[in-house]
Amino acid sequence: MARDKVIIKNHGKIADKIIAMEEVYKSLKDEDFVNKTAEFRERLKNGESLDDILVEAFAVVREAASRVLGLKAYRVQLIGAIILHQGDIAEMRTGEGKTLTGLFPAYLNALTGEGVHVVTVNEYLSQRDSEINGRVYSLLGLTVGLNGRSLNKDEKRNAYAQDITYTTNAELGFDYLRDNMVYQYSQKVQKKLNYAIIDEADSILIDEARTPLIISGGSQNRINLYKAADTFSKSISRENDIEIDLEFKQVYLTETGIDKAQKYFSLDNLFDVKNTELFHLIMNALKANFTFKKEVEYTVQDGEVVLIDQFTGRVMPGRAYSDGLHQAIQAKENVNIEEETITLATITYQNFYRLYNKLSGMTGTAKTEEEEFLKIYNTRVICCPTNKPIIRKDEPDLTFGTKNAKLKKLVTDLKELNEQGRPVLIGTTSVESSEQVARYLEKAGLKFEVINAKNHHREAEIVEKAGQFKSITLATNMAGRGTDIKLSDETRKLGGLFVMGVERNEARRIDNQLRGRSGRQGDPGTSRFYVSMEDELMVRFSAPKLRQMFLKLGDDHIESKLLTRAITNAQKKLEGLNFDQRKNVLDYDNILSQQREAMYAQRDSILLQDDLKNVISRFQYTVAYETVQNNSELVRGESLINISQLLNSLNGNLIASNSLSEKDLNGLEKQQIAKILQEKMMENYLEKTKDVPSNVISELERRTIIQAFDKHWTKHINLSQKLRSGIYLQQYAQNNPLHEYVEESARLFNRMKILIAQDTIDNLNESFIRSIDQSDIQQPQEKKVIDITDKDINDILTEWKVEKENFSRPTVEKRFKELEVEFKDNAQLLERTRFQFFILDGLMNKLDEIYNSQNQKMMNLSQEELDSLLKKFDLFEKKFTKEDIKNKTEKMLLDKTDEEKNAIMIEAQVLFAIADKLQQETKDFVVKDKEGKIKKVIKVKDDGSIDPDEIHDTEQVQTKTKIG
C-alpha cells in the first residue's frame, strides 16, 4: 500500500494543475457556471468518468467559492478534496478549512445525479454548512437539501431529492430504517445510498460505531417491578452486599446481597429460571444506582432522563439505553417510567455506512485508528499537510497524587496566564468534572465561560470568543467541534491559546483533538495535561502501590516525558483492546446485516410488483410442502404421507371442501402433492376474491405480506439478540461460539421465511368471511331431491348439539368442522356427519332463496314505505351499518311469534341490502378476521385509486425512534 507521502505527492501534482487553471476560469461570468455544470453532466453521459473531469470541475468550484465566499482554496485543501473523492479519510488539522474542502468532492459526485450526503454530528453544523456552501452550489446550478429531525415525510423526501443533502448521522440512519417499514414504495424518502462525506468521521465511525439506531413499537408494562427493584437497590449496603467493577460498569451481589434479595422479593432461589426476568431488573437497578452518575452519563431535564454524550458533553435528546437500563435510571431519579418496547428495526452506524457505494470522511484526528478504518470500512486514513507549519508547543504531562493537588496547580497556572492576558481553554472528560473545576475557578475569583450539556445551545458563540484577551473557557473535551477558535492580534503576540487538559482520555485521538484546538493555521499555542493518580484512567490501569507512592508528593508533582510515554502506551494498548472488541462484535453483526439486506431487498421487490399472485403462489407452495411434511410419519426409516390426515387438515380451510380425494394423491412424491395442493389453494383463493376490485385486493395482499415480513423479522431480531447474549457458553463445550451462532442464526432465518409464508396465506384466507365449497369452483351438477321433515332437522341439530335459536350458516359450518376432526378415525360416523351437513346445507340454501325472493318484492317499496320501515327499526335519518341492523333485529325478535319473527327477518334483509348499497357508495372495503373483528378498512376514491394514508389498519404498529 502506498505511503501517505507518495499519495500526497501524487495528489499535489493534480492540485497544481487545478491551481494552474485559475486564470482560465476568472473570465467566466456568473451565469456561465451553470453552463459548465450542464457541460460536465453531458460529458459524463457520453462516457467520461468523474476522474476525467476532476481537474476542470475542481477549478470551476474553486473560482465559484472565491466569488461567493471570498475564500480561495489552498493547495492542501485541494489535496484533501481529492482524498475525499477517492473514498478515503482525510486527516486535516483544526482550522485547515474542512468545510470548504468538502465542497469539491460533493460537487463532483453530485454531477452523476445519484445524490451526495454530507453528514455532520449535529443539526447546527448541518444548517450552518448547508447555508454557507449552498450559496456556492446555487451559483453552480446544483440544488441543496437540509434534512432534520422535525421535518415531515414530504419535506424529507424533497431534501433527499436534491443534488446534495446535508443531514445528521442519526437522522440519516433512522430515515433508512423507516423507509424499510413503509407499505408503498412511493412513501420512501431516501434515494439510493450513493456517496457520503462524513464530517468528524472519527466521532461517527469509531466512537459511535457500535451505537444502535432503534425503531421500536408495542409495549410491555413492568413499571411496578422497576420501582420495586430500585427500592431494593437503595436499601442494600455498598460495602457488604455488592461488588462493583468500575472498569466494565458491572455490579455483582455478594452472598449477603443474594440473601437480602431473596428475602425482599420472597424467593426461594433468585437464580431459578422463572426468576430470570426479575434478576435482570435487579441487576439493571444496581447498575443504575451504583455505576451511572447524574450529570456524567445523563441529566434530568423537565422530568425526563436525557443522556449525555461522553465525548462531547452534549445532551442527546431522543436517545435511550436499551434492555431496560433506561427505565431503571428513570426509577432511580423518580421520574415518569416509560413502558418498554420491542425492537422493530435496528442497525448500527457501523453497518449503515458500509451500505454506501462510496464512503469518505474528514477529521482532525484519525491516524491512530487507521487499522480500524481499513479493516471495517475499507478506507485509508491519509494525513494532509498543514497550510502553514504547526508551531504549537506540546508540554509534558504534570502528574499529581490527588485531584485536589492537580486542580490547585491548574488554578495557580491559570492565574499567571490570565494576568498575562493569554486565552485559556480547559478541557474536561465529563460534565461532573467540568463542574468540579468550575467550583475551583469560582473560589479563585476567575471569570470564565462554560460549555457543557446544560448550555450547549451557546456552544458555537462561546467557542468563537475563546481566543480573545483574558478569556477562560471551560469545556468538555470535544465540545465545539466544527467551530474554529480564532485569535486576535493581541493574543497572538502573547503566545496564543493555552490548552489545559484536566485528565487523559482512553484514546490518544481525543487528547489530540483537544490539543488541536490551539495552533491553527500556524498560530502560536501551548498544550499541557494535568494528571492525577485518582483519575479514572489511572485508577483502572495503574497498580495500587504506585498510587500510594504518589500520595507522598502532597501538592507537588512530577513532570516526566517517561511517564507521559507510559500513559500513551497504556492508551495504545486500550485502543487495541477496544478495536478487538468492536471487531469481534462486528463479526456477529455481519450475520444479521446480511440477513437484513436480503429481507429489505425482498421487501422492496414486493412493494414494486403490481401483481403479487406469483409471490402468493410461492408462499402457498411453501405452506403446502410444510403441511405435507407435518402429515408424514417415519415407518421403518422411510417417510410415509398420511393422505387422509393431510386432506382433513386442509379441506374447507385452504382448499375447497371435497375438491380432492385420496386417490388423486396416492403414489405421488411430496413435491408433486405440494404442487397439486398449491394449485387448489390458488383456485380457492381466486374464488374468494373474485368480487373484490383488483386494486383493493392488490393493496390487501401487499399489506398482508409486508406485515407478515415485519412481524417475523422483528421476532427474528429479538431472537438473534437473545441467542447472541448466551452463545459465549458454547466455548465451554469446546465449540467456536461464532461458528455456532452462524449455524443457529441461519436455521432461525430459514424458519422465519416459512413462518412468513404461513402467516401470509392464513391471514389472506381468513380475511374473507364466506366459506367456499367446490361447487363454487366447478360447474353445478344436477342434485338429487330428498324429502326431509322438521323432525329430521330437529334430530340432526340435537345430535350436533346446536340450539335452534343459534341455527345459522356460520354456526353449522363451524360445528361441522369440529365433528370432522372428532370423527376423523371413524369412517362410518364421518360419512354420516357429511350427509347430515349436506341436508342442513340444502335447508340453508332453500331459506336463502326464500329470503331473496321476499327481498326482491320488498325492494319495490315506495319512499314512504321505506321511511316507515326505517322508523320501525329506529334507523330513520341515521347512517347505519349491518352491525346496527343486527343489534336492532335481535331486540325486536324478543317475545315475538314465529310468524312475526319471519316478517321482521325479511324486513331486516331489506335493510341489509340498503346497507350494502351505502357501503358501495362510500367505497369502503372492510377486512375482518375469522372472529369477525375488523382488521383493515380500505377506502377507494371516486377515480378508483387508493390513498395509502386513508387506510385504517389495526395491524400497523405505532413506532418511535431511539438511539441505544
Side-chain angles (χ1 to χ4, degrees), residues 627-644:
T627 309
V628 172
Q629 286 280 69
N630 293 338
N631 287 282
S632 300
E633 48 199 29
L634 210 60
V635 178
R636 294 178 184 175
E638 189 176 349
S639 181
L640 298 178
I641 306 166
N642 187 330
I643 301 292
S644 174

Side-chain angles (χ1 to χ4, degrees), residues 797-798 800-808 811:
L797 293 177
T798 303
W800 281 30
K801 297 178 182 175
V802 173
E803 299 291 337
K804 268 189 185 181
E805 50 271 24
N806 293 334
F807 178 67
S808 65
T811 307

